[in-house]
Structure formats: C-alpha cells, structure tokens
C-alpha cells in the first residue's frame, strides 16, 4: 500500500500507539523499507513505560538505526530478566 501511494505522489507515514520496544522496533523495520523520505513517525513511545521487555535503540539526530541482530534485533532488557 505504501509503495503504491508513494508512486502516486501521496505522502506516507507510519506511526504507532503506546508500544513496547518489540512493537516499536517492528515499526522501525517497516519504516526503513518504506519509499521516499519518511516524516516523523512517533515510534519512540516505549520510553513512557516504567519497564520494558526490550531495549529500544538510541535516537541520534532524529534517526533510529534499524537493529541488525536475530529476529527483530531486540536486546532483552536486564530488568525484564530480573523480574
């Protein structure tokens, strides 16, 4: 859908709600393959939780690097392992 909209000149953005690191990083992977420049996506919402199952990658100058590890590339939070 995003590819077809982009080809038609329709701006496309991807956003989420309050997502844990897992959901947010899945969105990061999706945004990374979308056509053209993307607008601010509002994907860094896991910071609003007191704790999280994963570690969200740092944001540098408004850019989130796509994790490259196995699966979604999410390191498991030490806090989650301790619980």
């Amino acid at each position: 859908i995003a590819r077809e909209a982009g080809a038609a000149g329709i701006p496309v953005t991807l956003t989420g709600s309050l997502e844990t690191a897992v959901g947010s990083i899945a969105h990061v992977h999706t945004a990374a393959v979308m056509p053209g420049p993307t607008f601010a996506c509002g994907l860094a919402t896991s910071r609003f939780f007191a704790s999280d199952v994963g570690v969200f990658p740092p944001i540098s100058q408004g850019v989130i690097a796509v994790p490259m590890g196995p699966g979604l590339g999410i390191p498991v939070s030490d806090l989650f392992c301790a619980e």
Side-chain angles (χ1 to χ4, degrees):
I1 293 172
R3 189 174 340 172
E4 295 297 319
I10 301 168
V12 178
T13 191
L14 174 75
T15 188
S17 233
L18 286 174
E19 307 286 345
T20 66
V22 175
S24 292
I25 293 174
H27 285 119
V28 168
H29 280 274
T30 303
V33 297
M34 290 175 59
T38 57
F39 301 101
C41 295
L43 301 180
T45 58
S46 62
R47 64 191 165 137
F48 296 115
F49 294 110
S51 63
D52 200 344
V53 298
V55 179
F56 193 78
I59 302 169
S60 176
Q61 299 180 354
V63 176
I64 303 168
V66 178
M68 302 305 288
L72 291 175
I74 304 169
V76 176
S77 169
D78 291 338
L79 292 172
F80 180 72
C81 292
E83 293 177 8

